Amino acid sequence: MKRKDIINNAQRLVIKVGSSLLLTQEGVNFLFIERLIRDIAHLKRENREIILVSSGAIGLGKKELGIDNNLGALPSKQALASVGQTQLMNLYSRFFQKYKLYTGQVLLSAQDLSRRSTYLNARNTLLTLLKLGVVPVVNENDTVAVEEIKFGDNDTLSALVAGLVDADLLIIISDIDGLYTSDPKKNPQAKFLPEISLITKQIEEMAQESCVEGRVGGMKTKINAAKISTHSGIPVIIGGNKEKFLERLFSGEKIGTLFFSPTHRLASRKKWIAYGKSSGGKIVVDNGAKKALIEEGGSLLPVGIKQVQGRFQAGDSVSLVDENNLEFARGIVYYSSKELERIKGAKSSSIEKLLGYKYSDEVIHHDNLVIL
Ligand code: GLU
């Protein structure tokens, strides 16, 4: 699909805005919020469905309580987020009301997306809100998020939400206008990249070098979000830093960097395997098994397993890594880590002898496997 068609045909949009746009040194950027909601109202009139993923809770909490130093400890951030999230929703509902739109708050934690039941529940709630014409505003549930399993940044969250609701397009708006070959603030030779058809290693390296917003996120997390989203079959636009960004984008101007999605849409269950569930452990497989999984669409057998890392139960999603510790797939295991310790490297015909029982010849069936 061409750029124009992707944008024109995008019916369900996930739009992510970062704190740096909502909050400036001077305080809340009312002008930005007003324009954002006006543009959203315009897109709604074109019969598009919108989910807004918005940061800003911690920043607004700081502002409200008059705290300007950096509170490192997690409980302090959580407390600030609790204060700031109310402020954030107050702001949004005021502006949405002005355009006669309803909004609703949806706070998600990584755990919610890790269990199939809560994942589906979150999906149903969001889809119901859309059906009711509401513009849901999503943020991470910062007040209860545990550091180790936090999404951590709303770029990643927005990509997961896009996958969760089968969006047609993810738009990440920030204070940078897209991807450059290197940081344009440091290197005047840096070239703007308007379109990316595949996120290669080279592209990822550019993002390491290029603009950092100085808050959570930066280009690196944005590229990572683009990877998750395009892999789920959803194209991404990263841009902003321009007056009336959304208005101009939807009136056909070529602004922002568009990441095409090379794949067909992953089936919903596969999306959940790949991204919904925080992986409980790792299985190191040998090169032969890796090749069979990637090139022949095979299943993972115990014979291909070299090492088992971490603890997990049968039914958990685990990462498959190669001999260089590079993650290349995720899948749902039929055996626990304990059981795999006993059968790794063995032929499937000896599983029963080794364990005294057998659930299956495969450790991960190819239906439960997603190559990343
Ligand atoms: N959830 C955080 C907040 O609302 C922001 C995370 C991010 O900026 O990516 O403050």
Side-chain angles (χ1 to χ4, degrees):
M1 240 199 275
K2 290 206 187 94
R3 180 185 180 108
K4 193 172 112 229
D5 299 328
I6 290 178
I7 291 171
N8 286 347
N9 299 343
Q11 236 247 312
R12 184 171 291 163
L13 311 170
V14 172
I15 299 174
K16 185 256 165 179
V17 291
S19 330
S20 55
L21 296 174
L22 298 168
L23 280 166
T24 60
Q25 296 284 12
E26 290 77 50
V28 177
N29 188 347
F30 292 104
L31 188 66
F32 170 77
I33 302 177
E34 156 88 51
R35 283 209 184 117
L36 174 73
I37 308 305
R38 188 200 55 195
D39 288 345
I40 288 179
H42 181 73
L43 293 168
K44 286 273 298 163
R45 278 195 297 276
E46 294 180 344
N47 277 331
R48 305 195 204 234
E49 296 171 319
I50 320 268
I51 292 177
L52 185 61
V53 175
S54 176
S55 310
I58 296 173
L60 278 168
K62 274 188 178 174
K63 195 184 147 290
E64 180 69 9
L65 298 181
I67 296 171
D68 52 14
N69 59 333
N70 211 357
L71 293 176
L74 188 62
S76 317
K77 282 192 203 147
Q78 295 181 318
L80 289 177
S82 152
V83 174
Q85 184 62 32
T86 346
Q87 302 293 323
L88 189 66
M89 285 315 292
N90 265 336
L91 265 173
Y92 279 129
S93 32
R94 247 172 46 209
F95 282 98
F96 275 120
Q97 255 168 29
K98 202 171 148 190
Y99 289 92
K100 305 213 167 14
L101 287 173
Y102 294 103
T103 180
Q105 168 184 276
V106 178
L107 298 179
L108 293 173
S109 61
Q111 268 154 327
D112 300 329
L113 300 192
S114 77
R115 235 171 293 134
R116 183 87 177 138
S117 57
T118 42
Y119 177 91
L120 290 176
N121 207 22
R123 175 181 153 86
N124 287 338
T125 305
L126 283 166
L127 294 184
T128 307
L129 285 166
L130 292 179
K131 221 182 256 163
L132 293 170
V134 175
V135 180
V137 176
V138 180
N139 196 357
E140 175 154 18
N141 196 351
D142 291 309
T143 53
V144 294
V146 184
E147 193 76 83
E148 301 80 58
I149 55 156
K150 269 177 82 117
F151 298 116
D153 66 89
N154 278 8
D155 296 322
T156 309
L157 176 63
S158 67
L160 295 172
V161 168
L164 183 68
V165 299
D166 291 311
D168 300 309
L169 182 63
L170 167 64
I171 304 173
I172 299 181
I173 311 180
S174 81
D175 55 4
I176 35 190
D177 52 6
L179 183 64
Y180 285 83
T181 49
S182 65
D183 188 343
K185 286 180 195 142
K186 292 190 196 138
N187 178 8
Q189 311 293 324
K191 274 201 0 227
F192 182 72
L193 300 167
E195 287 180 356
I196 304 287
S197 47
L198 191 69
I199 303 174
T200 57
K201 265 240 137 58
Q202 204 192 355
I203 301 284
E204 285 184 64
E205 278 161 17
M206 283 173 193
Q208 313 261 347
E209 287 176 29
S210 59
C211 328
V212 175
E213 288 174 72
R215 306 185 194 213
V216 198
M219 221 3 139
K220 201 170 159 207
T221 58
K222 290 182 178 47
I223 298 293
N224 193 40
K227 251 171 93 176
I228 295 177
S229 184
T230 52
H231 185 254
S232 311
I234 304 163
V236 180
I237 295 209
I238 295 180
N241 205 23
K242 279 214 168 65
E243 291 265 297
K244 307 180 182 172
F245 179 77
L246 281 176
E247 190 187 311
R248 290 164 67 178
L249 180 71
F250 281 90
S251 55
E253 215 176 300
K254 285 196 171 172
I255 47 176
T257 301
L258 168 63
F259 295 77
F260 289 95
S261 92
T263 45
H264 294 296
R265 277 181 186 236
L266 276 184
S268 159
R269 213 177 96 79
K270 291 233 169 182
K271 232 178 313 184
W272 172 70
I273 293 174
Y275 302 115
K277 196 163 156 107
S278 40
S279 181
K282 277 187 192 173
I283 297 179
V284 185
V285 307
D286 64 29
N287 287 335
K290 179 182 175 187
K291 193 161 176 260
L293 294 174
I294 295 180
E295 289 173 19
E296 291 146 35
S299 298
L300 178 68
L301 306 176
V303 70
I305 299 180
K306 295 197 72 162
Q307 225 190 320
V308 181
Q309 296 173 357
R311 288 180 138 236
F312 48 86
Q313 300 302 317
D316 279 352
S317 162
V318 301
S319 297
L320 297 193
V321 300
D322 63 16
E323 295 177 37
N324 300 320
N325 206 24
L326 201 79
E327 183 183 32
F328 67 93
R330 285 202 189 160
I332 306 286
V333 280
Y334 283 134
Y335 293 94
S336 70
S337 49
K338 261 193 180 158
E339 289 164 327
L340 289 184
E341 280 298 351
R342 289 162 56 195
I343 60 172
K344 68 181 180 201
K347 290 221 168 82
S348 296
S349 53
S350 44
I351 295 179
E352 197 158 0
K353 204 169 82 212
L354 290 167
L355 293 180
Y357 52 85
K358 178 166 86 173
Y359 302 132
S360 154
D361 279 348
E362 301 95 10
V363 174
I364 300 177
H365 191 271
H366 81 263
D367 286 348
N368 292 326
L369 185 85
V370 182
I371 304 293
L372 299 176

